[in-house]
Amino acid sequence: MRLVIARCSVDYAGRLTAHLPSAPRLILVKNDGSVSIHADDRAYKPLNWMSPPCTLKEGVDGEVDIWTVINKAGEKLIITMEEILHDSSHELGVDPGLIKDGVEAHLQELLADRIETLGEGWSLVRREYPTAIGPVDILCRNSDGGTVAVEIKRRGEIDGVEQLTRYLELLNRDPHLAPVKGIFAAQEIKPQARVLATDRGIDCVVLDYDALRGIEDDKLRLF
């Protein structure tokens, strides 16, 4: 990534025209070819930009540096550099991407490791139990030895209840598992999803993520 701080003016010529008068600005040139011009406000939003694919040509008009950015549609972003205050390049490497805390896979792992929080005497059969239409998040047995299928979501909505219903229909065809009960577990369960789950005999569990990690006491609210 190249970072340039310069006193400059900017002209855009394309489907419309736009002009930024002379002022100190930050110019970001990324390895993907994009160029964006920023002021010291507006948070992350640039004043003007050119998305890739585009090309940057640096030229000189008299004693003034002129940058011309052209995209595949022929639109131009012309940056007139009156004074360059800073110019540096930095190799950032491949970004690993955003890792979200509390995603469904992590909730599944935590609950499987602490399956007894669903009830004393409960035991895990396996995570990602396969069915013909996809894996059930958790298959476990309650204290009576009955089979329970658990579907886990960050936000519990009607679609998740429908998904668990389809899993239960298939699992209950297996004489080695039937009868199979269902638990719909999420950090937040929408009222409509709760009503539908109750109507279909599915229990709802609100997951406390911090409690599962052992930060607070590990209680689940079963409704």
Side-chain angles (χ1 to χ4, degrees):
M1 178 182 290
R2 185 178 178 186
L3 308 176
V4 178
I5 299 175
R7 179 174 293 279
C8 62
S9 60
V10 183
D11 291 280
Y12 170 80
R15 288 167 293 180
L16 49 81
T17 58
H19 176 71
L20 292 173
S22 176
R25 297 189 176 93
L26 168 65
I27 303 166
L28 299 182
V29 183
K30 296 186 179 180
N31 283 338
D32 63 5
S34 63
V35 178
S36 57
I37 297 100
H38 299 259
D40 197 12
D41 62 6
R42 292 170 163 245
Y44 63 88
K45 188 175 181 180
L47 297 166
N48 214 329
W49 68 94
M50 192 71 82
S51 300
C54 55
T55 58
L56 168 61
K57 296 181 180 180
E58 299 183 41
V60 178
D61 183 3
E63 296 183 354
V64 178
D65 292 335
I66 305 291
W67 288 15
T68 303
V69 187
I70 306 173
N71 66 13
K72 63 179 181 179
E75 299 169 316
K76 295 182 180 181
L77 196 64
I78 302 169
I79 307 171
T80 303
M81 303 287 196
E82 299 171 11
E83 181 184 8
I84 295 178
L85 306 172
H86 175 86
D87 188 348
S88 64
S89 296
H90 307 270
E91 182 57 54
L92 301 185
V94 178
D95 191 88
L98 178 65
I99 300 174
K100 295 183 179 179
D101 194 19
V103 294
E104 291 169 14
H106 198 195
L107 287 169
Q108 180 194 120
E109 180 182 359
L110 288 168
L111 186 57
D113 286 343
R114 307 182 71 180
I115 198 67
E116 71 281 355
T117 58
L118 290 175
E120 186 176 350
W122 286 50
S123 60
L124 176 69
V125 175
R126 68 169 287 179
R127 293 171 54 193
E128 300 287 335
Y129 188 89
T131 77
I133 58 172
V136 179
D137 287 332
I138 290 176
L139 195 72
C140 57
R141 295 194 183 277
N142 60 25
S143 57
D144 298 324
T147 310
V148 182
V150 184
E151 182 63 24
I152 299 171
K153 302 291 183 186
R154 292 189 71 194
R155 178 176 297 175
E157 299 183 358
I158 285 176
D159 287 350
V161 178
E162 295 284 7
Q163 182 181 1
L164 178 55
T165 300
R166 293 191 293 270
Y167 289 147
L168 289 172
E169 182 181 352
L170 286 174
L171 292 169
N172 274 301
R173 296 178 188 176
D174 186 339
H176 299 290
L177 298 176
V180 183
K181 295 183 177 180
I183 288 180
F184 187 53
Q187 289 178 285
E188 173 192 358
I189 299 177
K190 296 295 185 180
Q192 300 92 330
R194 188 182 297 278
V195 170
L196 181 61
T198 301
D199 182 67
R200 295 183 177 178
I202 296 171
D203 290 327
C204 291
V205 172
V206 175
L207 297 175
D208 186 329
Y209 182 55
D210 286 338
L212 285 173
R213 292 191 297 169
I215 294 177
E216 300 173 359
D217 75 35
D218 41 337
K219 293 179 182 177
L220 299 177
R221 298 191 293 276
L222 181 60
F223 298 91

